[in-house]
Amino acid sequence: MSGLQPFAPDGLERALCVVAHPDDMEYGASAAVSHWTSRGVDVSYLLLTHGEAGMPQEPNTVRRIRSEEQRSACRQVGVGDLRILDHPDGVLEPTLALRRDIARVIRQVRPQLVMTTTWADVAPWGLNQADHRVAGLTAVDAVAAAGNRWIFPELVDEEGLDPWSTRWVVVTGAAEPDHVIALEPQDAERAVASLQQHAAYLEALPDHPDPAEFIPAMLRGGGEGTDHGLGLPVRVFDLG
C-alpha cells in the first residue's frame, strides 16, 4: 500500500492496546506490538470481554480457554501485562461505565500511545462486528476522558488516579489509513505464532484460513515501500 507516511513515534515508552475480545490483536496488529516490544516499549493489552460467546462450549468454560490462549499469544510478542474486563461478550454497549473502565486503565498504565480497532460499520474485510465498533469508539472517548480531571472525578477522589493525556491514538483496520508501521520478518513470524496460540478458538472455526498464510500476505500487502516489504497500515491521530 503506497503513499502512506511511516509511523515510528519518538520517545515511545508505553502503549496500551484496547480491543473487545481475545484474538482481536492477533490479526496483524500483534506484529506492530512485536516491533515495539523488541525495542523496549512496554505494551499492555486491555480486553473488554473474555470472548465467552465466541465458541459453542458453555461460556464459563470458554472464558477460561480463551483467557489462557490470550496469555500464550501475549508471550509470543513480548506482552507481560494482560488485563481482561468482565463486560459481556457479544452485547457490548457504549456505556459510561465501559468508558470509565477504560479511562481507569489508561490512567493506571499512562501510555503515550493507545491502539484500538476501527469503529466503522463497514471495514475492509466486510461488516464490522458490533463489539468491535463499540470497543473502538469507546476507547477513543476514554482517551479524552482520561485526560480530563472533571470527567469521572471519582477516579481521582476515590482511587487516586490523576489524569493522563495520551499523545497518539492508532486505529487498525481503518478503511483509509494514513500511516504504516514498518515491520521486520521476525515481527510477522511472531504475529503468526500469536494467532496460532488461539488453537481451540480456531478449531471451532473450520473454514478459518491458515495464519501462516494470510498474516504474512496481509503484512506484505501493507508494506509496500518499507525496508522489508512488511507493514501494518493504520490511521494515526496525533493529539499533541
Side-chain angles (χ1 to χ4, degrees), residues 4-39:
L4 300 181
Q5 295 295 314
F7 181 65
D10 291 334
L12 180 62
E13 298 176 343
R14 296 177 304 280
L16 174 66
C17 302
V18 182
V19 293
H21 313 111
D23 90 289
D24 283 354
M25 283 297 298
E26 275 68 73
Y27 288 84
S30 63
V33 172
S34 168
H35 188 74
W36 291 330
T37 59
S38 67
R39 285 156 177 76

PDB file of all heavy atoms in Angstrom, residues 4-39:
ATOM      1  N   LEU A   4       1.723   5.953   2.044  1.00  0.00           N
ATOM      2  CA  LEU A   4       1.492   6.123   3.473  1.00  0.00           C
ATOM      3  C   LEU A   4       2.748   6.641   4.148  1.00  0.00           C
ATOM      4  O   LEU A   4       3.865   6.243   3.820  1.00  0.00           O
ATOM      5  CB  LEU A   4       1.073   4.790   4.108  1.00  0.00           C
ATOM      6  CG  LEU A   4      -0.199   4.149   3.565  1.00  0.00           C
ATOM      7  CD1 LEU A   4      -0.492   2.853   4.317  1.00  0.00           C
ATOM      8  CD2 LEU A   4      -1.383   5.095   3.636  1.00  0.00           C
ATOM      9  N   GLN A   5       2.555   7.502   5.135  1.00  0.00           N
ATOM     10  CA  GLN A   5       3.674   8.028   5.896  1.00  0.00           C
ATOM     11  C   GLN A   5       4.141   6.998   6.921  1.00  0.00           C
ATOM     12  O   GLN A   5       3.313   6.319   7.541  1.00  0.00           O
ATOM     13  CB  GLN A   5       3.264   9.316   6.621  1.00  0.00           C
ATOM     14  CG  GLN A   5       2.923  10.462   5.686  1.00  0.00           C
ATOM     15  CD  GLN A   5       4.116  10.909   4.892  1.00  0.00           C
ATOM     16  OE1 GLN A   5       5.218  11.080   5.429  1.00  0.00           O
ATOM     17  NE2 GLN A   5       3.919  11.100   3.592  1.00  0.00           N
ATOM     18  N   PRO A   6       5.443   6.864   7.132  1.00  0.00           N
ATOM     19  CA  PRO A   6       5.916   5.945   8.169  1.00  0.00           C
ATOM     20  C   PRO A   6       5.533   6.446   9.554  1.00  0.00           C
ATOM     21  O   PRO A   6       5.561   7.660   9.808  1.00  0.00           O
ATOM     22  CB  PRO A   6       7.436   5.927   7.979  1.00  0.00           C
ATOM     23  CG  PRO A   6       7.741   7.224   7.293  1.00  0.00           C
ATOM     24  CD  PRO A   6       6.554   7.541   6.427  1.00  0.00           C
ATOM     25  N   PHE A   7       5.190   5.514  10.427  1.00  0.00           N
ATOM     26  CA  PHE A   7       4.868   5.870  11.805  1.00  0.00           C
ATOM     27  C   PHE A   7       5.847   5.177  12.728  1.00  0.00           C
ATOM     28  O   PHE A   7       5.799   3.957  12.921  1.00  0.00           O
ATOM     29  CB  PHE A   7       3.440   5.474  12.165  1.00  0.00           C
ATOM     30  CG  PHE A   7       3.056   5.851  13.578  1.00  0.00           C
ATOM     31  CD1 PHE A   7       2.990   7.180  13.956  1.00  0.00           C
ATOM     32  CD2 PHE A   7       2.776   4.874  14.530  1.00  0.00           C
ATOM     33  CE1 PHE A   7       2.639   7.540  15.257  1.00  0.00           C
ATOM     34  CE2 PHE A   7       2.429   5.221  15.823  1.00  0.00           C
ATOM     35  CZ  PHE A   7       2.359   6.552  16.189  1.00  0.00           C
ATOM     36  N   ALA A   8       6.770   5.954  13.266  1.00  0.00           N
ATOM     37  CA  ALA A   8       7.778   5.468  14.212  1.00  0.00           C
ATOM     38  C   ALA A   8       7.928   6.517  15.299  1.00  0.00           C
ATOM     39  O   ALA A   8       8.841   7.351  15.249  1.00  0.00           O
ATOM     40  CB  ALA A   8       9.103   5.201  13.513  1.00  0.00           C
ATOM     41  N   PRO A   9       7.010   6.538  16.260  1.00  0.00           N
ATOM     42  CA  PRO A   9       6.954   7.644  17.227  1.00  0.00           C
ATOM     43  C   PRO A   9       8.195   7.733  18.110  1.00  0.00           C
ATOM     44  O   PRO A   9       8.609   6.755  18.726  1.00  0.00           O
ATOM     45  CB  PRO A   9       5.707   7.328  18.049  1.00  0.00           C
ATOM     46  CG  PRO A   9       5.510   5.846  17.900  1.00  0.00           C
ATOM     47  CD  PRO A   9       5.985   5.521  16.519  1.00  0.00           C
ATOM     48  N   ASP A  10       8.770   8.926  18.169  1.00  0.00           N
ATOM     49  CA  ASP A  10       9.933   9.161  19.023  1.00  0.00           C
ATOM     50  C   ASP A  10       9.513   9.145  20.493  1.00  0.00           C
ATOM     51  O   ASP A  10       8.464   9.665  20.861  1.00  0.00           O
ATOM     52  CB  ASP A  10      10.558  10.525  18.700  1.00  0.00           C
ATOM     53  CG  ASP A  10      11.216  10.544  17.328  1.00  0.00           C
ATOM     54  OD1 ASP A  10      11.629   9.463  16.857  1.00  0.00           O
ATOM     55  OD2 ASP A  10      11.303  11.637  16.735  1.00  0.00           O
ATOM     56  N   GLY A  11      10.334   8.535  21.312  1.00  0.00           N
ATOM     57  CA  GLY A  11      10.111   8.573  22.746  1.00  0.00           C
ATOM     58  C   GLY A  11       9.013   7.668  23.254  1.00  0.00           C
ATOM     59  O   GLY A  11       8.578   7.808  24.400  1.00  0.00           O
ATOM     60  N   LEU A  12       8.569   6.736  22.434  1.00  0.00           N
ATOM     61  CA  LEU A  12       7.515   5.824  22.881  1.00  0.00           C
ATOM     62  C   LEU A  12       8.074   4.867  23.925  1.00  0.00           C
ATOM     63  O   LEU A  12       9.022   4.137  23.673  1.00  0.00           O
ATOM     64  CB  LEU A  12       6.955   5.038  21.692  1.00  0.00           C
ATOM     65  CG  LEU A  12       5.834   4.051  22.021  1.00  0.00           C
ATOM     66  CD1 LEU A  12       4.614   4.765  22.601  1.00  0.00           C
ATOM     67  CD2 LEU A  12       5.440   3.250  20.776  1.00  0.00           C
ATOM     68  N   GLU A  13       7.458   4.884  25.112  1.00  0.00           N
ATOM     69  CA  GLU A  13       7.873   4.009  26.203  1.00  0.00           C
ATOM     70  C   GLU A  13       6.774   3.041  26.618  1.00  0.00           C
ATOM     71  O   GLU A  13       7.060   1.926  27.037  1.00  0.00           O
ATOM     72  CB  GLU A  13       8.277   4.848  27.427  1.00  0.00           C
ATOM     73  CG  GLU A  13       9.458   5.764  27.181  1.00  0.00           C
ATOM     74  CD  GLU A  13       9.744   6.645  28.382  1.00  0.00           C
ATOM     75  OE1 GLU A  13       8.845   6.769  29.256  1.00  0.00           O
ATOM     76  OE2 GLU A  13      10.851   7.213  28.458  1.00  0.00           O
ATOM     77  N   ARG A  14       5.509   3.489  26.536  1.00  0.00           N
ATOM     78  CA  ARG A  14       4.388   2.655  26.982  1.00  0.00           C
ATOM     79  C   ARG A  14       3.241   2.774  25.990  1.00  0.00           C
ATOM     80  O   ARG A  14       2.917   3.887  25.531  1.00  0.00           O
ATOM     81  CB  ARG A  14       3.903   3.111  28.372  1.00  0.00           C
ATOM     82  CG  ARG A  14       4.943   2.944  29.469  1.00  0.00           C
ATOM     83  CD  ARG A  14       4.427   3.484  30.813  1.00  0.00           C
ATOM     84  NE  ARG A  14       4.004   4.879  30.722  1.00  0.00           N
ATOM     85  CZ  ARG A  14       4.845   5.908  30.744  1.00  0.00           C
ATOM     86  NH1 ARG A  14       6.146   5.708  30.836  1.00  0.00           N
ATOM     87  NH2 ARG A  14       4.374   7.155  30.659  1.00  0.00           N
ATOM     88  N   ALA A  15       2.645   1.644  25.669  1.00  0.00           N
ATOM     89  CA  ALA A  15       1.493   1.610  24.770  1.00  0.00           C
ATOM     90  C   ALA A  15       0.424   0.722  25.380  1.00  0.00           C
ATOM     91  O   ALA A  15       0.719  -0.252  26.087  1.00  0.00           O
ATOM     92  CB  ALA A  15       1.884   1.092  23.384  1.00  0.00           C
ATOM     93  N   LEU A  16      -0.828   1.068  25.109  1.00  0.00           N
ATOM     94  CA  LEU A  16      -1.975   0.295  25.588  1.00  0.00           C
ATOM     95  C   LEU A  16      -2.838  -0.057  24.385  1.00  0.00           C
ATOM     96  O   LEU A  16      -3.215   0.824  23.611  1.00  0.00           O
ATOM     97  CB  LEU A  16      -2.791   1.100  26.597  1.00  0.00           C
ATOM     98  CG  LEU A  16      -4.102   0.466  27.076  1.00  0.00           C
ATOM     99  CD1 LEU A  16      -3.839  -0.808  27.880  1.00  0.00           C
ATOM    100  CD2 LEU A  16      -4.916   1.466  27.892  1.00  0.00           C
ATOM    101  N   CYS A  17      -3.152  -1.339  24.246  1.00  0.00           N
ATOM    102  CA  CYS A  17      -3.991  -1.822  23.151  1.00  0.00           C
ATOM    103  C   CYS A  17      -5.346  -2.216  23.723  1.00  0.00           C
ATOM    104  O   CYS A  17      -5.417  -3.062  24.625  1.00  0.00           O
ATOM    105  CB  CYS A  17      -3.348  -3.017  22.464  1.00  0.00           C
ATOM    106  SG  CYS A  17      -1.697  -2.661  21.796  1.00  0.00           S
ATOM    107  N   VAL A  18      -6.413  -1.612  23.206  1.00  0.00           N
ATOM    108  CA  VAL A  18      -7.763  -1.826  23.722  1.00  0.00           C
ATOM    109  C   VAL A  18      -8.609  -2.488  22.641  1.00  0.00           C
ATOM    110  O   VAL A  18      -8.847  -1.895  21.575  1.00  0.00           O
ATOM    111  CB  VAL A  18      -8.411  -0.496  24.149  1.00  0.00           C
ATOM    112  CG1 VAL A  18      -9.796  -0.746  24.734  1.00  0.00           C
ATOM    113  CG2 VAL A  18      -7.530   0.243  25.144  1.00  0.00           C
ATOM    114  N   VAL A  19      -9.074  -3.702  22.919  1.00  0.00           N
ATOM    115  CA  VAL A  19      -9.892  -4.445  21.964  1.00  0.00           C
ATOM    116  C   VAL A  19     -11.005  -5.164  22.712  1.00  0.00           C
ATOM    117  O   VAL A  19     -11.003  -5.248  23.945  1.00  0.00           O
ATOM    118  CB  VAL A  19      -9.053  -5.459  21.157  1.00  0.00           C
ATOM    119  CG1 VAL A  19      -8.071  -4.751  20.239  1.00  0.00           C
ATOM    120  CG2 VAL A  19      -8.324  -6.428  22.080  1.00  0.00           C
ATOM    121  N   ALA A  20     -11.942  -5.705  21.951  1.00  0.00           N
ATOM    122  CA  ALA A  20     -13.113  -6.322  22.561  1.00  0.00           C
ATOM    123  C   ALA A  20     -12.855  -7.730  23.070  1.00  0.00           C
ATOM    124  O   ALA A  20     -13.333  -8.102  24.148  1.00  0.00           O
ATOM    125  CB  ALA A  20     -14.274  -6.338  21.564  1.00  0.00           C
ATOM    126  N   HIS A  21     -12.105  -8.533  22.304  1.00  0.00           N
ATOM    127  CA  HIS A  21     -12.059  -9.974  22.563  1.00  0.00           C
ATOM    128  C   HIS A  21     -10.632 -10.521  22.562  1.00  0.00           C
ATOM    129  O   HIS A  21      -9.749  -9.936  21.921  1.00  0.00           O
ATOM    130  CB  HIS A  21     -12.808 -10.745  21.465  1.00  0.00           C
ATOM    131  CG  HIS A  21     -14.147 -10.201  21.121  1.00  0.00           C
ATOM    132  ND1 HIS A  21     -14.426  -9.592  19.919  1.00  0.00           N
ATOM    133  CD2 HIS A  21     -15.295 -10.187  21.833  1.00  0.00           C
ATOM    134  CE1 HIS A  21     -15.694  -9.224  19.882  1.00  0.00           C
ATOM    135  NE2 HIS A  21     -16.249  -9.560  21.037  1.00  0.00           N
ATOM    136  N   PRO A  22     -10.424 -11.688  23.194  1.00  0.00           N
ATOM    137  CA  PRO A  22      -9.223 -12.462  22.912  1.00  0.00           C
ATOM    138  C   PRO A  22      -9.157 -12.732  21.403  1.00  0.00           C
ATOM    139  O   PRO A  22     -10.187 -12.994  20.782  1.00  0.00           O
ATOM    140  CB  PRO A  22      -9.446 -13.768  23.691  1.00  0.00           C
ATOM    141  CG  PRO A  22     -10.412 -13.407  24.778  1.00  0.00           C
ATOM    142  CD  PRO A  22     -11.321 -12.361  24.176  1.00  0.00           C
ATOM    143  N   ASP A  23      -7.990 -12.625  20.840  1.00  0.00           N
ATOM    144  CA  ASP A  23      -7.622 -12.831  19.437  1.00  0.00           C
ATOM    145  C   ASP A  23      -7.775 -11.588  18.583  1.00  0.00           C
ATOM    146  O   ASP A  23      -7.255 -11.545  17.475  1.00  0.00           O
ATOM    147  CB  ASP A  23      -8.360 -14.020  18.786  1.00  0.00           C
ATOM    148  CG  ASP A  23      -9.686 -13.641  18.132  1.00  0.00           C
ATOM    149  OD1 ASP A  23     -10.640 -13.348  18.877  1.00  0.00           O
ATOM    150  OD2 ASP A  23      -9.772 -13.659  16.893  1.00  0.00           O
ATOM    151  N   ASP A  24      -8.441 -10.525  19.050  1.00  0.00           N
ATOM    152  CA  ASP A  24      -8.623  -9.342  18.201  1.00  0.00           C
ATOM    153  C   ASP A  24      -7.294  -8.682  17.824  1.00  0.00           C
ATOM    154  O   ASP A  24      -7.168  -8.113  16.738  1.00  0.00           O
ATOM    155  CB  ASP A  24      -9.515  -8.313  18.896  1.00  0.00           C
ATOM    156  CG  ASP A  24     -10.990  -8.669  18.853  1.00  0.00           C
ATOM    157  OD1 ASP A  24     -11.346  -9.661  18.180  1.00  0.00           O
ATOM    158  OD2 ASP A  24     -11.780  -7.961  19.511  1.00  0.00           O
ATOM    159  N   MET A  25      -6.298  -8.733  18.692  1.00  0.00           N
ATOM    160  CA  MET A  25      -5.000  -8.137  18.389  1.00  0.00           C
ATOM    161  C   MET A  25      -4.183  -8.997  17.427  1.00  0.00           C
ATOM    162  O   MET A  25      -3.198  -8.518  16.856  1.00  0.00           O
ATOM    163  CB  MET A  25      -4.198  -7.920  19.674  1.00  0.00           C
ATOM    164  CG  MET A  25      -4.629  -6.721  20.491  1.00  0.00           C
ATOM    165  SD  MET A  25      -4.410  -5.156  19.614  1.00  0.00           S
ATOM    166  CE  MET A  25      -2.635  -5.138  19.385  1.00  0.00           C
ATOM    167  N   GLU A  26      -4.586 -10.238  17.246  1.00  0.00           N
ATOM    168  CA  GLU A  26      -3.731 -11.186  16.546  1.00  0.00           C
ATOM    169  C   GLU A  26      -3.913 -11.193  15.029  1.00  0.00           C
ATOM    170  O   GLU A  26      -3.280 -11.986  14.342  1.00  0.00           O
ATOM    171  CB  GLU A  26      -3.952 -12.590  17.104  1.00  0.00           C
ATOM    172  CG  GLU A  26      -3.131 -12.897  18.335  1.00  0.00           C
ATOM    173  CD  GLU A  26      -3.535 -12.104  19.569  1.00  0.00           C
ATOM    174  OE1 GLU A  26      -4.588 -12.381  20.152  1.00  0.00           O
ATOM    175  OE2 GLU A  26      -2.784 -11.182  19.948  1.00  0.00           O
ATOM    176  N   TYR A  27      -4.753 -10.334  14.513  1.00  0.00           N
ATOM    177  CA  TYR A  27      -4.966 -10.290  13.066  1.00  0.00           C
ATOM    178  C   TYR A  27      -4.143  -9.155  12.444  1.00  0.00           C
ATOM    179  O   TYR A  27      -4.669  -8.290  11.762  1.00  0.00           O
ATOM    180  CB  TYR A  27      -6.459 -10.167  12.763  1.00  0.00           C
ATOM    181  CG  TYR A  27      -7.184 -11.460  13.051  1.00  0.00           C
ATOM    182  CD1 TYR A  27      -7.620 -11.758  14.341  1.00  0.00           C
ATOM    183  CD2 TYR A  27      -7.383 -12.408  12.061  1.00  0.00           C
ATOM    184  CE1 TYR A  27      -8.251 -12.961  14.627  1.00  0.00           C
ATOM    185  CE2 TYR A  27      -8.018 -13.615  12.332  1.00  0.00           C
ATOM    186  CZ  TYR A  27      -8.442 -13.880  13.619  1.00  0.00           C
ATOM    187  OH  TYR A  27      -9.056 -15.077  13.893  1.00  0.00           O
ATOM    188  N   GLY A  28      -2.859  -9.191  12.703  1.00  0.00           N
ATOM    189  CA  GLY A  28      -1.933  -8.229  12.126  1.00  0.00           C
ATOM    190  C   GLY A  28      -1.390  -7.234  13.123  1.00  0.00           C
ATOM    191  O   GLY A  28      -0.203  -6.880  13.070  1.00  0.00           O
ATOM    192  N   ALA A  29      -2.218  -6.741  14.036  1.00  0.00           N
ATOM    193  CA  ALA A  29      -1.767  -5.705  14.968  1.00  0.00           C
ATOM    194  C   ALA A  29      -0.666  -6.210  15.891  1.00  0.00           C
ATOM    195  O   ALA A  29       0.200  -5.429  16.311  1.00  0.00           O
ATOM    196  CB  ALA A  29      -2.944  -5.187  15.787  1.00  0.00           C
ATOM    197  N   SER A  30      -0.682  -7.488  16.214  1.00  0.00           N
ATOM    198  CA  SER A  30       0.351  -8.006  17.121  1.00  0.00           C
ATOM    199  C   SER A  30       1.745  -7.935  16.496  1.00  0.00           C
ATOM    200  O   SER A  30       2.743  -7.970  17.210  1.00  0.00           O
ATOM    201  CB  SER A  30       0.029  -9.442  17.550  1.00  0.00           C
ATOM    202  OG  SER A  30       0.017 -10.315  16.438  1.00  0.00           O
ATOM    203  N   ALA A  31       1.823  -7.832  15.163  1.00  0.00           N
ATOM    204  CA  ALA A  31       3.124  -7.653  14.531  1.00  0.00           C
ATOM    205  C   ALA A  31       3.720  -6.306  14.921  1.00  0.00           C
ATOM    206  O   ALA A  31       4.925  -6.189  15.168  1.00  0.00           O
ATOM    207  CB  ALA A  31       2.994  -7.756  13.015  1.00  0.00           C
ATOM    208  N   ALA A  32       2.884  -5.266  14.983  1.00  0.00           N
ATOM    209  CA  ALA A  32       3.367  -3.963  15.436  1.00  0.00           C
ATOM    210  C   ALA A  32       3.777  -4.024  16.899  1.00  0.00           C
ATOM    211  O   ALA A  32       4.769  -3.411  17.307  1.00  0.00           O
ATOM    212  CB  ALA A  32       2.290  -2.906  15.229  1.00  0.00           C
ATOM    213  N   VAL A  33       3.017  -4.765  17.694  1.00  0.00           N
ATOM    214  CA  VAL A  33       3.368  -4.927  19.110  1.00  0.00           C
ATOM    215  C   VAL A  33       4.727  -5.589  19.245  1.00  0.00           C
ATOM    216  O   VAL A  33       5.580  -5.164  20.043  1.00  0.00           O
ATOM    217  CB  VAL A  33       2.281  -5.729  19.837  1.00  0.00           C
ATOM    218  CG1 VAL A  33       2.721  -6.084  21.250  1.00  0.00           C
ATOM    219  CG2 VAL A  33       0.966  -4.944  19.868  1.00  0.00           C
ATOM    220  N   SER A  34       4.965  -6.631  18.465  1.00  0.00           N
ATOM    221  CA  SER A  34       6.274  -7.284  18.467  1.00  0.00           C
ATOM    222  C   SER A  34       7.377  -6.293  18.123  1.00  0.00           C
ATOM    223  O   SER A  34       8.447  -6.277  18.758  1.00  0.00           O
ATOM    224  CB  SER A  34       6.278  -8.438  17.455  1.00  0.00           C
ATOM    225  OG  SER A  34       7.589  -8.915  17.218  1.00  0.00           O
ATOM    226  N   HIS A  35       7.119  -5.457  17.129  1.00  0.00           N
ATOM    227  CA  HIS A  35       8.106  -4.457  16.716  1.00  0.00           C
ATOM    228  C   HIS A  35       8.432  -3.513  17.866  1.00  0.00           C
ATOM    229  O   HIS A  35       9.602  -3.186  18.099  1.00  0.00           O
ATOM    230  CB  HIS A  35       7.548  -3.689  15.517  1.00  0.00           C
ATOM    231  CG  HIS A  35       8.522  -2.770  14.866  1.00  0.00           C
ATOM    232  ND1 HIS A  35       9.560  -3.218  14.064  1.00  0.00           N
ATOM    233  CD2 HIS A  35       8.637  -1.413  14.899  1.00  0.00           C
ATOM    234  CE1 HIS A  35      10.263  -2.187  13.639  1.00  0.00           C
ATOM    235  NE2 HIS A  35       9.730  -1.078  14.130  1.00  0.00           N
ATOM    236  N   TRP A  36       7.399  -3.103  18.580  1.00  0.00           N
ATOM    237  CA  TRP A  36       7.622  -2.158  19.690  1.00  0.00           C
ATOM    238  C   TRP A  36       8.319  -2.832  20.877  1.00  0.00           C
ATOM    239  O   TRP A  36       9.272  -2.285  21.433  1.00  0.00           O
ATOM    240  CB  TRP A  36       6.287  -1.555  20.130  1.00  0.00           C
ATOM    241  CG  TRP A  36       5.677  -0.643  19.124  1.00  0.00           C
ATOM    242  CD1 TRP A  36       6.333   0.131  18.199  1.00  0.00           C
ATOM    243  CD2 TRP A  36       4.281  -0.394  18.927  1.00  0.00           C
ATOM    244  NE1 TRP A  36       5.433   0.832  17.443  1.00  0.00           N
ATOM    245  CE2 TRP A  36       4.170   0.541  17.859  1.00  0.00           C
ATOM    246  CE3 TRP A  36       3.120  -0.862  19.537  1.00  0.00           C
ATOM    247  CZ2 TRP A  36       2.936   1.008  17.408  1.00  0.00           C
ATOM    248  CZ3 TRP A  36       1.894  -0.403  19.092  1.00  0.00           C
ATOM    249  CH2 TRP A  36       1.806   0.522  18.039  1.00  0.00           C
ATOM    250  N   THR A  37       7.831  -3.991  21.293  1.00  0.00           N
ATOM    251  CA  THR A  37       8.424  -4.620  22.479  1.00  0.00           C
ATOM    252  C   THR A  37       9.877  -5.007  22.237  1.00  0.00           C
ATOM    253  O   THR A  37      10.690  -4.968  23.164  1.00  0.00           O
ATOM    254  CB  THR A  37       7.624  -5.853  22.921  1.00  0.00           C
ATOM    255  OG1 THR A  37       7.581  -6.819  21.861  1.00  0.00           O
ATOM    256  CG2 THR A  37       6.198  -5.463  23.323  1.00  0.00           C
ATOM    257  N   SER A  38      10.215  -5.372  20.996  1.00  0.00           N
ATOM    258  CA  SER A  38      11.610  -5.721  20.700  1.00  0.00           C
ATOM    259  C   SER A  38      12.526  -4.517  20.814  1.00  0.00           C
ATOM    260  O   SER A  38      13.757  -4.665  20.879  1.00  0.00           O
ATOM    261  CB  SER A  38      11.719  -6.337  19.300  1.00  0.00           C
ATOM    262  OG  SER A  38      11.419  -5.385  18.293  1.00  0.00           O
ATOM    263  N   ARG A  39      11.938  -3.331  20.863  1.00  0.00           N
ATOM    264  CA  ARG A  39      12.702  -2.091  21.028  1.00  0.00           C
ATOM    265  C   ARG A  39      12.538  -1.507  22.424  1.00  0.00           C
ATOM    266  O   ARG A  39      12.850  -0.340  22.660  1.00  0.00           O
ATOM    267  CB  ARG A  39      12.283  -1.087  19.953  1.00  0.00           C
ATOM    268  CG  ARG A  39      12.869  -1.446  18.595  1.00  0.00           C
ATOM    269  CD  ARG A  39      12.080  -0.901  17.433  1.00  0.00           C
ATOM    270  NE  ARG A  39      12.757  -1.228  16.180  1.00  0.00           N
ATOM    271  CZ  ARG A  39      12.740  -2.442  15.632  1.00  0.00           C
ATOM    272  NH1 ARG A  39      12.084  -3.442  16.207  1.00  0.00           N
ATOM    273  NH2 ARG A  39      13.376  -2.673  14.494  1.00  0.00           N
TER     274      ARG A  39
END
